[in-house]
Amino acid sequence: MGNRKTSPLSTLFLVLIFTILYLPIFFLVFYSFNSGGTMYDFEGFTLDWYKELFADTRLLIIVLNTLLIALLSALISTVIGVMGAIAIYSFKNRKTKNTLLSLNNVLIVSPDVIIGASFLILFTMAGIKLGMFSVLLSHIAFCVPIVVLMVLPKLLEMSPTLIDAAHDLGASRWDVMRKVVLPYITPGIFAGFFMALTYSLDDFAVTFFVTGNGFTTLSVEIYSLARRGIALNINALSTLLFLFTIVLVIVYYFITVRNKPTGMGVRR
Amino acid sequence: MKKLVQFTVAVVLASAVLWYAITELNSAQGYSGGNTLTIYNWGDYINMDVVEQFEEETGVKVIYETFDSNEAMKTKIEQGGTTYDIAIPSEYMIDKMIQEDLLIPLDHAKLPNLGNIDERFMDLPFDPKNKYSVPYFWGTVGIVYNPSMLDGKEITSWNDLWDEDLKNEILLIDGAREVMGMALNSLGYSLNDTDKAHLLEAKRKLDTLTPNIKAIVGDENRMLIENEEAAIGLVWSGVAAELMWENEDLEYVVPVEGSNLWFDNMVIPKTAKNVEAAHQFINFMLEAEVAAENTDYVSYSTPNKAAMPLLDEELTGDERFYPPPELTEKLEVYENLGKRNLAYYNELFLEFKMHGK
C-alpha cells in the first residue's frame, strides 16, 4: 500500500475535495478582516471586528463557558467511558458484550434533537434548574458512548496473554490495570478525549434544549444571532475558534505520535 | 500512566482557570448579585445601549438571552427550570400563553408610561385590556422588490406575483400562516379563514405560483435579496426596512388586498423571579426617549406615540412602515385558530411545498 504511486487523477480528486471542504472556512476568515461590514464587498483590511469581539464581555463569557463545558465534559466522560469500555471488555459472554456494545452505539446514532428533548423533560421532572449543570450533564451523557467506542478497539487489540503474564509474575489487579492495561490503551483514551472535546464544542441540537438562566454556549448564541444576519464579529470569532481547533489537532497529533506502540505493547 | 495523570491535571488546571475567569467576568458585570433581570428576546432585537442605561438607572443587572422562534420560547417557559422575567413573544403566541396560564397579569399602576402607546395598538383581541402584554414593536407582512431587476415594473397587489414574467424571482417565507395568508388575501378571503373549501382554493392557487418561486426560505432571504439573487421577497416590514437601508433601490409594499398586522409584546412569564424589576423594565422601555433610541436600532415600527416626534421624520412619515389608520384597519392580526385548524394550514402548506415545478 505504502509505496504504490498515487495517480494524478486521485491527487486531483483529493485536492478538489479539500478545496471544497476548506474554501468556506477561508472565505469566512477572509471576510473577518473586511472593513466593509458585509460578506460580499471587500473594502479594506481592518482588525475592528476582533477589537469589537474582545470588547463584548457577554460574548467572551459565552466563549469561556463553551470551552469550560467542553473540557470538563470531555474529562469526565473519558473517565466514565474508559471504565465502561473496560467493563464491556471484561464480560466473557459474547452475547452480553454485543448487547452492551449495541446499546452504546444506539446512543451515538440516535438523533440529537431527540436526546436534547428527552434531557429537557428529564431535567424538569427531576427539578434540575437549567443552566451550566444541566448542559454539563447532557454533554457528558452524549460523550460517554463516543469515548467507549474509541477505547474499546484498543482493548480488543490487546493480547490477553499480556494480562495473564502479568498475573503470573505476581501483579495485583490494580498493578495490571495501572501498568499494563491503561498504558496500552492510552492512545485510545486520548482519541476519546479529543473526540468528546470536539463533540461538546460544536454541539448545537442537544445544548439548545438544556441551556437557560443566563447560561448559553456559542453554538446556541450564534444560531439566534443568525436570524438577523451575521455580523462580521462572528466571523472573527469563528476564525479564532478555527485556529483553536487546529492547535488542538496539532497537540493531539504530537501526543499520539509519541505514544506509538513500540511493538511490545507495553510502555512505561 | 504518568502521561495520563499529567494530562488530567493539566485539563483540571485549565478548567479551574476558565472557571475563575468566568466568575470574575460575571461578577465584574454584576451578574452574580441578587438583583438581576433575565430577558428572553429574539436575537438582536434590542438596543444594548438602552439596556445599559436601564442598568445604570436602576442598579438592576440585566441578563439577556435569545430565542429564534415563538415555539421554542414557549417550550422553555412551559417546562419551567428557567427564570425569565421578561419575554417578548408575538401576538398569536400570547393568546396561547394566556390560555395555558403561563403569564402573570401586569400591574398597570406600575406602568405609568403605558399612556405613551398609540391607542390603536391597545386592547386588541389577543389580549383584551392589555391585561398581560404591552406592545413592543409592530409591523406588516408585505412584498419587498427590486424595480431595477423587474424593468421598472410596479407591484401593488398579491395578485401581481402571479405574473408570468416573474419566473423564478420570488422568495417566500417558510411559514404556513404567512404564505397561506397571502393566498387567502389574494382571493379576497380573511387570513384567519378556517373554511376548508376556501383553504383548499388557496392551496390550489399557490400551486399555480410554483413556476415563479425561486425558494422557500427562512431568514436567509435577507441575504439573497441583498445580493440580488432574487427580485421579490415576501417579508416582514422590519426585514424590508433593513434591506432598504442597505440598498436604496428596493421597494416595499403592503398589498392592496390586505395583509397581516403583527405585534411583538412584552410579557412577564410565570417563571419570573423579579416581578418588580420586570415592571420597572417595561415601564422604562415605554419612555419616549428610550423607545425612540431602541427603534432607531431595531428599525421595526414603534407603537409608542410619544416616541414618534423624536424619530427621524423620514422614517415615521414613511407610509410603507407607518401606514395610516385607514390602512391598518384593513390589515388583520393573526387569530389563534386552534390546534386543528392550524394543523390543516400546516398540512396544506407542506403539500404546497412538495408540489413540484
Side-chain angles (χ1 to χ4, degrees), chain B residues 244-262:
Chain B
M244 288 159 71
W245 190 257
E246 295 280 338
N247 182 349
E248 289 188 352
D249 294 342
L250 293 174
E251 265 299 331
Y252 177 73
V253 61
V254 180
V256 288
E257 296 102 327
S259 181
N260 165 236
L261 182 67
W262 56 259

Side-chain angles (χ1 to χ4, degrees), chain A residues 38-40 57-58 60-61 64-65 67-68 71-72 75 79 120-121 124 128-132 174 177-179 182-183 186 189-190 193-194 207-216 220-221 223-229 251 255 258-259 268, chain B residues 1-4 7-8 11-12 14-16 18-19 21-22 25-26 29 31 38 40-46 48 63-69 72 75-76 79-84 219 222-223 226-227 236 238 242 246 273 297-300:
Chain A
T38 53
M39 281 269 270
Y40 49 84
T57 332
R58 197 178 100 84
L60 220 56
I61 291 178
L64 294 181
N65 279 342
L67 293 179
L68 179 65
L71 277 180
L72 282 182
L75 183 66
V79 173
L120 179 60
I121 296 167
T124 40
I128 297 173
K129 247 178 76 175
L130 297 182
M132 180 177 160
W174 173 235
M177 187 59 72
R178 201 161 55 98
K179 292 197 166 141
L182 281 182
T186 299
I189 295 177
F190 278 120
F193 177 85
F194 281 98
T207 320
F208 177 72
F209 285 95
V210 293
T211 45
N213 295 316
F215 187 90
T216 351
V220 177
E221 179 67 15
Y223 181 68
S224 38
L225 278 179
R227 270 198 84 247
R228 293 202 49 183
V251 170
I255 288 173
R258 288 205 306 193
N259 274 300
R268 267 176 296 139
Chain B
M1 187 68 193
K2 202 172 145 208
K3 197 161 280 157
L4 282 177
F7 189 76
T8 312
V11 171
V12 170
S15 307
L18 278 174
W19 176 254
I22 292 170
L25 277 174
N26 269 326
Q29 295 280 302
Y31 290 149
T38 315
Y40 203 28
N41 195 356
W42 301 84
D44 201 15
Y45 200 33
I46 202 166
M48 275 312 201
I63 301 171
Y64 189 72
E65 274 192 62
T66 52
F67 58 82
D68 74 301
S69 78
T75 315
K76 279 252 174 118
Q79 292 286 341
T82 52
T83 54
Y84 300 119
D219 290 304
R222 195 190 313 247
M223 219 144 79
E226 225 168 345
N227 295 348
W236 289 283
E242 262 170 51
E246 295 280 338
K273 283 266 151 64
Y297 177 83
V298 179
S299 72
Y300 279 65

Side-chain angles (χ1 to χ4, degrees), chain A residues 25-135:
Chain A
I25 298 176
F26 286 123
F27 187 73
L28 199 92
V29 172
F30 178 68
Y31 277 102
S32 74
F33 299 107
N34 181 14
S35 62
T38 53
M39 281 269 270
Y40 49 84
D41 246 349
F42 196 86
E43 282 176 16
F45 179 86
T46 177
L47 283 175
D48 283 356
W49 302 110
Y50 290 87
K51 278 184 210 144
E52 199 183 309
L53 186 67
F54 284 105
D56 188 347
T57 332
R58 197 178 100 84
L59 206 55
L60 220 56
I61 291 178
I62 293 173
V63 173
L64 294 181
N65 279 342
T66 314
L67 293 179
L68 179 65
I69 287 287
L71 277 180
L72 282 182
S73 59
L75 183 66
I76 299 172
S77 57
T78 306
V79 173
I80 299 174
V82 168
M83 291 197 291
I86 292 174
I88 292 178
Y89 174 73
S90 65
F91 274 106
K92 290 288 168 269
N93 185 338
R94 185 174 261 286
K95 221 171 174 183
T96 343
K97 212 184 238 179
N98 280 339
T99 319
L100 284 173
L101 194 58
S102 314
L103 285 175
N104 182 64
N105 292 352
V106 166
L107 287 178
I108 293 178
V109 292
S110 55
D112 279 1
V113 183
I114 291 174
I115 296 183
S118 44
F119 272 124
L120 179 60
I121 296 167
L122 177 73
F123 289 144
T124 40
M125 280 202 318
I128 297 173
K129 247 178 76 175
L130 297 182
M132 180 177 160
F133 191 57
S134 64
V135 176

